Amino acid sequence: MKAEKKMDLRRKGKAISTVPEDLFLQEEMEIPDVLPVLPVLDTVVFPQMVTALGVATERELKLLDHVLTGKRLLALALQKTPKEKDVGPDDLYGYATAAVVLQMLRMPDNSARMLVQGIARLKLHEFTQNQPYLIARVETLQDQLEEDIETEAMARNASDQFTKMISITSNLPEELKIAVMNIEHPGRLADMIASHLSINVHEKEEILEAIKVKERLQKVNAFISREMEVLELARKIQTQVKGEMEKGQREYYLRQQLKAIQDELGESDERTVEMAELKQKIEEAKMPPEVKKEAERELSRLQKMPPQAAEYTVSRTYLDWLVSLPWSVRTTDSLDINQAQKVLDEDHYNLKKVKERILEYLAVRKLKEDMKGPILCFVGPPGTGKTSLGKSIARALGRKFIRISLGGIRDEAEIRGHRRTYVGALPGRIIQGMRKAESSNPVFMMDEIDKLGMDFRGDPSSALLEVLDPEQNFSFSDHYLEVPFDLSKVMFITTANYLDPIPPALKDRMEVLELPGYTEEEKLSITKKFLIPKQLKEHGLTPEYITIEDNAIKTIIGTYTREAGLRNLERSIATLCRKVAKEIAAGRAKSVTVKEESLGELLGPAIFFKEVAERVGEPGVATGLAWTPSGGDILFIESTYMPGSGRLTLTGQLGEVMKESAEAAMSYVRSKAKTLNIPLPDFTKYDFHIHVPAGAIPKDGPSAGVTMAMSLISLLTERPVLPEVAMTGEITLRGKVLPVGGIKEKVLAAKRAGISTLVLPKRNEKDLVEVPDEIKAKITFHPVESVDEMLPVVFGAEPKRPEKKAEEKLVKVT
């Protein structure tokens, strides 16, 4: 192709070096095997394409001078990296373009500009010179053209798509359409299109290295498709933005007209009224100075913001939260201690320790007005009245009551809130509760604090450290508000079924008050005083319709609802009320008296039985006591032995501590075999098995150690444990009985199960102070320090050696 166009690069006082026109024809150009190589940084020159290049370094100028003295031929190779100095062979791609210098212009700063035209593709083989410029042996590459239908189709598609691209974009001149249509050779067409695509130089290098025309067209088509998608999306965005701008301008014009009309009529627009209301609310809220300053700053920002702005709603909602919080609003405490005592007694039976603590707070509050609110934690089994006690406390103090449930919360933002940068952000539950209370000193109950979770979103229990610390919560910072809020006047009450899951740092900030299970007498009184009147009211009955005898209530407590709390008991009372309501509504009875004998018909068969006497009537079985989150319970520990190799088997889903207690008990019994009159001469000839029934329930702890020892002694001496005796305590290898926890719960469980004699560690005797007097009057307690002291109590007398040896009996059984 003849280069008919020449770039006029004449500058004043500078000569232009031009090339004879007969050199422009590729067919007449003979490319030598050795060519100087000019590294190119930011462009790829394709064959038949004319491009302007600049040279500035001394090395490049020497190369240019050498080229101009000969046939003006050189190789243009793309650099792999943007390196300006000391470019070597390793910094260049292996393919290049043979080009001829058409024009050259010297610049005043000693640099030069030249116009080059690509002639053919080259492959660089060996560099014969590095200094002062690069010279390499080259191989001229010819296009490998497959004249088939696929090649023609790809060429037509590339031509059509590029023509369409020229119509869409303003960066390409319309003359290119004619130039593309006049190119018949598919390879030259691909080069022509590639030189005008907005792709990076490394992608253009891929096209330059494609010797096969079909492969080159595939790459070009792929790049055209990508560029078309980008251009279509850009055009769509431009159209959308333009439409929105026109819509915004129209709305602005109409609003200005509306404003002018309202001014003429003497009316104020809604936005002005809204801003004035917000300003008035800020003044009336009586915020602290730093909070008021932030609110006024946000209001000023809102006034300057157009209502259609995305931030407008966020800022408006934020101000609504600020002005609606009770910064200075508080209720007046009822400081009449006698009246508070009366209210607490009306709502809850017993619970002396908790009520005493509330009255103490009222007494100190009466003497010191600026006292900080206490932070209490009620711990006890389900159904013992922890949540309802919080409502009663609020009523006794004359304060608002707010309750939130922490069970299952895993996100820290539930406590501290989300930052306003998030869509739909809100304050945390603490601030939401304060807004709902409309008071800065409510009774704030956090239920189920022991069931807080934790995951990748944060640890809510750590966020509660600031809330539940009297030294810090006077300036609690919510992520949404980002201003301090005073929580020091709030009375926080948390509830939990057990303390173990609560982190130590959080537990340390709370005053723990335990609410153990109720005794049978307490349940009887609560049922008569609270549960029956409540259920009668809920079922539309009156005392004339139904009467429940005391014996019936006691039977329900003992055989239908053996629990520490009252929920199942209340459900049973509700069932009785429904049965009676049905009879009365049907006209079959005018009033019903519920007796002990009729419970089977009304509530079904009994669920629990006093099975201690039945289970402990044979050797190898002993009754122990256990603490559970829902109160205390009894354990039947069974043991047996058979010929074997001295192995000890433990079953019943026991924890590691309980297994170690069993091993300690076994070791003690073996070491004291002679003292205990055990007729087994060699323990290594027998296998022992200790089982704790209710195998589906996990069990752990050291308090069953003495029970296991008594079970083994009973088995090996063939003396049954007295059925009315239960025991608890940790055992040592020397036979000492160490103290354990949960004594009150265990005593109540023993009473529910019909135990009359209880053996416990001597050092736990002090814990009996918490046991109600009526329970202590019905159970005989035996504090012991060693296993030797337990034997007369557990077996009734010193175990005697049996007439027959155990070994002989085993042989006969076998």
Side-chain angles (χ1 to χ4, degrees):
M1 184 177 109
K2 182 178 283 188
E4 298 177 351
K5 295 184 180 180
K6 298 181 183 178
M7 180 179 286
D8 186 6
L9 298 175
R10 291 183 172 82
R11 295 290 184 271
K12 186 175 181 180
K14 297 294 180 181
I16 298 176
S17 176
T18 60
V19 67
E21 291 191 9
D22 57 354
L23 290 178
F24 294 156
L25 297 175
Q26 179 181 352
E27 291 77 4
E28 299 176 3
M29 298 289 296
E30 183 177 347
I31 301 174
D33 295 337
V34 178
L35 281 178
V37 180
L38 176 64
V40 182
L41 187 62
D42 55 358
T43 188
V44 174
V45 180
F46 290 93
Q48 311 306 320
M49 300 299 116
V50 178
T51 306
L53 298 175
V55 291
T57 65
E58 182 179 355
R59 189 182 189 189
E60 292 172 343
L61 291 171
K62 286 182 179 180
L63 183 146
L64 183 58
D65 291 340
H66 171 75
V67 169
L68 293 176
T69 57
K71 293 185 178 181
R72 298 177 175 243
L73 292 174
L74 75 166
L76 302 175
L78 179 67
Q79 292 181 210
K80 296 178 181 178
T81 56
K83 189 177 180 182
E84 296 184 0
K85 294 184 179 180
D86 300 327
V87 179
D90 294 336
D91 299 320
L92 304 176
Y93 283 97
Y95 288 81
T97 306
V100 60
V101 180
L102 303 180
Q103 292 182 353
M104 190 275 290
L105 175 65
R106 298 282 182 178
M107 305 300 290
D109 59 355
N110 203 28
S111 63
R113 297 282 293 173
M114 60 179 175
L115 193 67
V116 298
Q117 180 182 10
I119 298 174
R121 284 173 166 80
L122 299 177
K123 183 172 179 59
L124 304 178
H125 285 294
E126 178 188 357
F127 283 83
T128 59
Q129 176 181 311
N130 285 347
Q131 296 296 337
Y133 46 82
L134 299 173
I135 296 179
R137 295 186 182 278
V138 297
E139 176 188 354
T140 305
L141 303 175
Q142 300 297 329
D143 287 350
Q144 297 178 10
L145 176 62
E146 298 179 21
E147 297 183 356
D148 55 8
I149 296 178
E150 185 179 358
T151 303
E152 183 179 353
M154 286 192 289
R156 286 187 183 181
N157 181 69
S159 177
D160 293 342
Q161 291 294 319
F162 188 65
T163 303
K164 187 177 179 181
M165 182 188 294
I166 295 171
S167 302
I168 293 176
T169 181
S170 59
N171 297 331
L172 298 176
E174 288 290 329
E175 292 80 2
L176 273 178
K177 292 183 180 179
I178 301 173
V180 169
M181 293 177 184
N182 290 333
I183 298 176
E184 297 181 357
H185 192 281
R188 293 183 180 178
L189 175 65
D191 291 342
M192 171 72 172
I193 294 174
S195 65
H196 289 89
L197 288 178
S198 299
I199 57 179
N200 62 57
V201 290
H202 302 290
E203 292 172 335
K204 289 185 178 182
E205 178 68 22
E206 291 181 19
I207 298 174
L208 180 68
E209 293 179 4
I211 306 303
K212 295 181 180 179
V213 174
K214 186 178 291 186
E215 180 184 349
R216 194 185 309 166
L217 285 169
Q218 287 176 343
K219 293 180 181 292
V220 168
N221 274 307
F223 289 132
I224 290 176
S225 298
R226 189 182 72 184
E227 287 298 306
M228 286 293 291
E229 289 180 4
V230 174
L231 289 173
E232 289 286 353
L233 183 59
R235 187 171 66 170
K236 182 179 179 182
I237 293 172
Q238 182 67 22
T239 304
Q240 184 178 355
V241 170
K242 184 178 180 182
E244 290 178 356
M245 289 181 61
E246 290 176 353
K247 181 181 178 182
Q249 291 173 350
R250 180 172 176 271
E251 287 181 357
Y252 175 77
Y253 177 71
L254 292 174
R255 289 183 186 282
Q256 290 299 111
Q257 284 186 325
L258 181 61
K259 184 177 179 181
I261 294 171
Q262 289 175 339
D263 290 342
E264 288 294 327
L265 294 175
E267 299 177 355
S268 299
D269 64 326
E270 294 181 2
R271 189 179 178 194
T272 304
V273 174
E274 182 183 19
M275 295 300 126
E277 288 179 354
L278 280 175
K279 190 171 184 179
Q280 182 180 357
K281 287 180 180 178
I282 292 174
E283 295 295 332
E284 293 174 352
K286 297 181 181 179
M287 304 174 179
E290 64 271 22
V291 180
K292 185 178 180 181
K293 182 178 179 181
E294 176 65 20
E296 290 175 344
R297 187 190 69 80
E298 192 68 24
L299 179 62
S300 174
R301 180 169 168 264
L302 184 67
Q303 289 173 335
K304 300 172 185 176
M305 198 183 302
Q308 61 270 21
E311 285 289 319
Y312 185 88
T313 305
V314 176
S315 183
R316 181 70 175 82
T317 306
Y318 175 69
L319 281 172
D320 281 340
W321 275 100
L322 283 181
V323 300
S324 62
L325 287 174
W327 298 99
S328 56
V329 180
R330 66 183 62 183
T331 56
T332 304
D333 287 346
S334 174
L335 301 178
D336 188 339
I337 296 178
N338 295 326
Q339 177 63 25
Q341 176 78 60
K342 181 180 177 182
V343 171
L344 292 172
D345 289 339
E346 284 177 1
D347 293 342
H348 290 82
Y349 182 81
N350 203 346
L351 301 178
K352 295 179 181 178
K353 187 184 294 186
V354 179
K355 294 178 180 178
E356 190 68 23
R357 179 64 183 87
I358 302 304
L359 297 177
E360 289 171 0
Y361 167 73
L362 275 179
V364 177
R365 172 71 178 78
K366 192 172 185 178
L367 300 175
K368 191 175 187 295
E369 291 187 3
D370 58 345
M371 177 188 178
K372 295 179 180 178
I375 298 172
L376 308 178
C377 179
F378 296 159
V379 180
T384 51
K386 299 182 293 296
T387 304
S388 59
L389 186 59
K391 296 179 182 177
S392 178
I393 292 171
R395 193 163 75 92
L397 296 176
R399 293 189 179 188
K400 300 287 186 68
F401 177 75
I402 292 296
R403 174 191 166 274
I404 64 172
S405 177
L406 301 179
I409 289 181
R410 297 176 177 273
D411 191 355
E412 179 197 356
E414 292 280 352
I415 306 298
R416 286 190 176 276
H418 295 85
R419 299 191 185 278
R420 279 179 287 158
T421 51
Y422 294 103
V423 176
L426 283 174
R429 295 197 179 196
I430 305 298
I431 295 299
Q432 290 184 35
M434 296 303 296
R435 180 186 184 181
K436 186 177 179 182
E438 298 179 347
S439 168
S440 62
N441 63 336
V443 173
F444 203 122
M445 172 161 280
M446 299 181 184
D447 237 347
E448 312 295 353
I449 196 172
D450 56 328
K451 297 172 182 62
L452 278 173
M454 179 180 68
D455 62 8
F456 64 93
R457 291 169 291 188
D459 184 3
S461 62
S462 299
L464 284 174
L465 294 178
E466 181 184 1
V467 178
L468 300 180
D469 191 342
E471 301 300 324
Q472 300 180 36
N473 62 11
F474 67 90
S475 60
F476 171 69
S477 178
D478 186 275
H479 287 162
Y480 182 84
L481 297 182
E482 293 183 336
V483 291
F485 189 88
D486 187 5
L487 297 175
S488 61
K489 300 295 186 290
V490 180
M491 184 176 188
F492 285 104
I493 299 176
T494 63
T495 70
N497 292 131
Y498 46 104
L499 288 172
D500 293 344
I502 303 176
L506 187 59
K507 192 188 308 180
D508 183 61
R509 284 165 165 76
M510 301 184 292
E511 181 181 347
V512 178
L513 298 176
E514 295 188 0
L515 278 70
Y518 295 103
T519 65
E520 184 175 323
E521 288 71 19
E522 289 174 340
K523 287 184 178 181
L524 177 62
S525 299
I526 293 171
T527 303
K528 295 169 66 176
K529 187 175 180 181
F530 298 101
L531 300 186
I532 292 178
K534 176 183 175 183
Q535 292 302 322
L536 290 180
K537 182 178 180 181
E538 290 185 0
H539 290 84
L541 299 173
T542 60
E544 291 78 19
Y545 289 127
I546 181 173
T547 303
I548 305 177
E549 294 183 350
D550 289 358
N551 288 336
I553 297 174
K554 290 180 180 179
T555 303
I556 295 173
I557 294 170
T559 60
Y560 286 91
T561 63
R562 187 179 293 177
E563 59 178 342
L566 299 167
R567 285 189 180 141
N568 288 328
L569 177 58
E570 186 171 5
R571 291 190 189 102
S572 298
I573 299 298
T575 302
L576 294 177
C577 291
R578 289 196 302 272
K579 299 285 187 184
V580 172
K582 179 182 174 184
E583 294 295 317
I584 293 174
R588 290 192 288 266
K590 294 184 178 180
S591 65
V592 176
T593 300
V594 179
K595 300 181 179 181
E596 183 179 0
E597 297 80 19
S598 60
L599 290 178
E601 181 183 351
L602 296 173
L603 297 178
I607 301 173
F608 303 100
F609 303 92
K610 294 185 178 181
E611 55 183 342
V612 176
E614 301 173 9
R615 297 284 292 270
V616 192
E618 55 183 301
V621 182
T623 306
L625 297 171
W627 178 92
T628 66
S630 59
D633 205 351
I634 60 172
L635 292 176
F636 297 105
I637 297 180
E638 303 173 349
S639 59
T640 187
Y641 70 123
M642 68 289 293
S645 57
R647 187 162 55 97
L648 175 62
T649 303
L650 304 170
T651 55
Q653 203 172 157
L654 309 184
E656 290 298 322
V657 177
M658 202 166 184
K659 289 179 180 179
E660 292 173 0
S661 296
E663 292 171 0
M666 186 69 200
S667 298
Y668 169 76
V669 172
R670 290 181 62 179
S671 66
K672 297 289 185 179
K674 188 176 293 186
T675 306
L676 296 170
N677 295 326
I678 294 175
L680 213 60
D682 190 356
F683 280 80
T684 60
K685 293 183 180 180
Y686 302 95
D687 287 341
F688 294 86
H689 188 162
I690 297 178
H691 176 66
V692 183
I697 303 173
K699 311 168 190 70
D700 204 359
S703 63
V706 295
T707 313
M708 292 178 177
M710 292 299 107
S711 173
L712 289 170
I713 294 173
S714 170
L715 171 71
L716 297 175
T717 60
E718 298 185 13
R719 293 290 299 273
V721 175
L722 295 178
E724 70 276 3
V725 177
M727 60 210 79
T728 185
E730 180 180 355
I731 191 172
T732 69
L733 293 177
R734 299 290 181 268
K736 299 296 182 184
V737 181
L738 301 183
V740 292
I743 293 297
K744 182 178 180 181
E745 289 81 0
K746 293 176 180 179
V747 172
L748 295 179
K751 174 61 177 63
R752 287 196 297 268
I755 300 294
S756 61
T757 303
L758 184 59
V759 182
L760 72 161
K762 180 76 172 177
R763 287 161 61 183
N764 280 124
E765 193 173 9
K766 58 180 175 51
D767 298 319
L768 295 176
V769 177
E770 299 179 359
V771 179
D773 293 335
E774 62 269 19
I775 298 296
K776 288 190 284 189
K778 295 180 181 181
I779 296 180
T780 304
F781 296 95
H782 290 275
V784 297
E785 293 182 337
S786 66
V787 174
D788 294 337
E789 298 178 36
M790 294 180 62
L791 298 175
V793 180
V794 173
F795 295 102
E798 184 70 23
K800 297 179 181 179
R801 180 187 297 273
E803 296 178 2
K804 294 182 181 180
K805 294 185 177 179
E807 292 185 38
E808 297 174 359
K809 184 175 180 181
L810 281 172
V811 171
K812 289 180 180 180
V813 172
T814 304

